[in-house]
Amino acid sequence: MKKNVLITGGAGFIGSHVVRLFVNSYPDYHIYNLDVLTYAGNLENLKDVEDKPNYTFIKADICDHEKMDSIFSDYNIDGVIHLAAESHVDRSIKDPFSFAKTNVLGTLSLLQAAKTYWNGDFENKLFYHVSTDEVYGTLGESGFFTESTAYDPHSPYSASKASSDHFVRAFLDTYELPVVISNCSNNYGSYQFPEKLIPLFINNICSNKPLPVYGKGENVRDWLFVNDHARAIDVIFHKGKIGETYNIGGFNEWRNIDLIKVIIKTVDKLLGRPQGASEKLITFVTDRAGHDYRYAIDSSKLKNELGWEPSLQFEEGIEKTVRWYLDNKDWVDNVTSGNYQKY
Ligand code: NAD
Ligand code: DAU
């Protein structure tokens, strides 16, 4: 079936993987990638699909409601996969306002545009909101976040994402807008901006720069290969039940310090350095304010109801990821120098 699908934030890390997957897998769909190109948006991430006939890039800000209204009618949008956001916790601690603006007001302006344009005719329409496990807050040593875990965000980033999730559900309850939400754990893989732990540390190891480990490095995250997240989004977009929430996770928990040692080992091996040589770069620094201790996702609903499972073992995923950053030094250099903004 033909569809016009609006993917927001498609020039970012996860968005670029979702755009690539949809453009290549669904030649009958037209994929509109809407992105304002903040520091995190990079059209180089999509070089391989930019000339495909079923792909169009639209430079626009989701907070511009008049523009969102016109995009829905100009392109006759049937489905939305909404990823555009400010996404980095440390930036949200320094500048919470831009997180409230993009993540809350931007989501609201898209919801309003969908409601206005679809105007009660919701057949074959879907507004899919991509969210995070951070809305659930933090876990102790045991237990998992499920879809019924109460929201308890601690950072301005997670508070803004929690608020956007509430607006999405409010549009279902109040206007019957067909919505679905997923909450995913930490992603890793190619094209991630090197401010996040894994690409930052790979890059710093290569350049022999210090590796700033927050606190004692004891916080735990549940890591998922980004292509598996994109596959989950595909499954939920096509088979998810309207009004439902699906948790997405890797069943793959790592203490930061243990993960960092795996990254060091892998980079050292691939660069031909003596094993563990770069451990001397580990530098313990002041902890992140409000640092959530542990995230762990129970994604059994997604597995049991829609048949999705992570496809890749972590050891394989991390080696693939390190190799990608080593083999794509031009991409890393462009991103770190700011040249990508001229692409
Ligand atoms: P990212 O920061 O790499 O990309 C965000 C994209 O959104 C960028 O291309 C940016 O230019 C665009 N954008 C920002 N503000 C915009 C605006 N006002 N209008 C239009 N475009 C705008 O983020 P990411 O890591 O790829 O995350 C994508 C989504 O997935 C976010 O909603 C995030 O909350 C969620 N998420 C991320 C992770 C993760 O581990 N990275 C995990 C779970 C959920
Ligand atoms: O859980 C999903 C979330 O994962 C997403 O919603 C966010 O968009 C994404 O950025 C990510 O958030 P985190 O804060 O968990 O990711 P980050 O890579 O920033 O940090 C991972 C862990 O590593 C965290 O415990 C903080 C720590 N850290 C991070 C950096 C950047 C360090 O110790 N040193 C660092 O320099």
Side-chain angles (χ1 to χ4, degrees), residues 13 39 87-90 134 186-189 192-206 209-223 252-264 267 281-285 287-288 291 295 314 318 321-322 325:
F13 164 50
Y39 77 94
S87 70
H88 191 40
V89 174
D90 294 330
E134 299 201 10
N186 288 64
N187 285 215
Y188 70 98
Q192 186 169 32
F193 196 84
E195 62 184 352
K196 309 277 167 66
L197 180 77
I198 291 183
L200 174 73
F201 278 34
I202 295 173
N203 202 21
N204 284 11
I205 297 167
C206 292
K209 284 194 193 150
L211 307 174
V213 181
Y214 298 161
K216 294 182 179 155
E218 284 172 349
N219 304 65
V220 176
R221 296 291 181 268
D222 172 3
W223 293 94
N252 178 42
E253 290 181 50
W254 286 85
R255 269 195 333 157
N256 288 343
I257 192 68
D258 298 331
L259 171 75
I260 289 160
K261 288 185 179 161
V262 172
I263 299 170
I264 291 172
V267 179
L281 300 172
I282 291 177
T283 310
F284 291 96
V285 299
D287 207 353
R288 173 185 277 174
H291 199 173
Y295 303 145
F314 184 67
I318 201 74
T321 301
V322 171
Y325 287 93

Side-chain angles (χ1 to χ4, degrees), residues 270-285:
L270 295 178
L271 290 181
R273 292 182 186 169
Q275 195 174 331
S278 303
E279 283 194 17
K280 61 177 186 301
L281 300 172
I282 291 177
T283 310
F284 291 96
V285 299

Side-chain angles (χ1 to χ4, degrees), residues 12-14 35-36 38 41 61-62 83 87 131 157 161 185 187:
F13 164 50
I14 301 170
D35 199 300
V36 78
T38 65
D61 186 338
I62 56 168
L83 296 112
S87 70
S131 191
Y157 164 68
K161 290 296 288 187
S185 62
N187 285 215

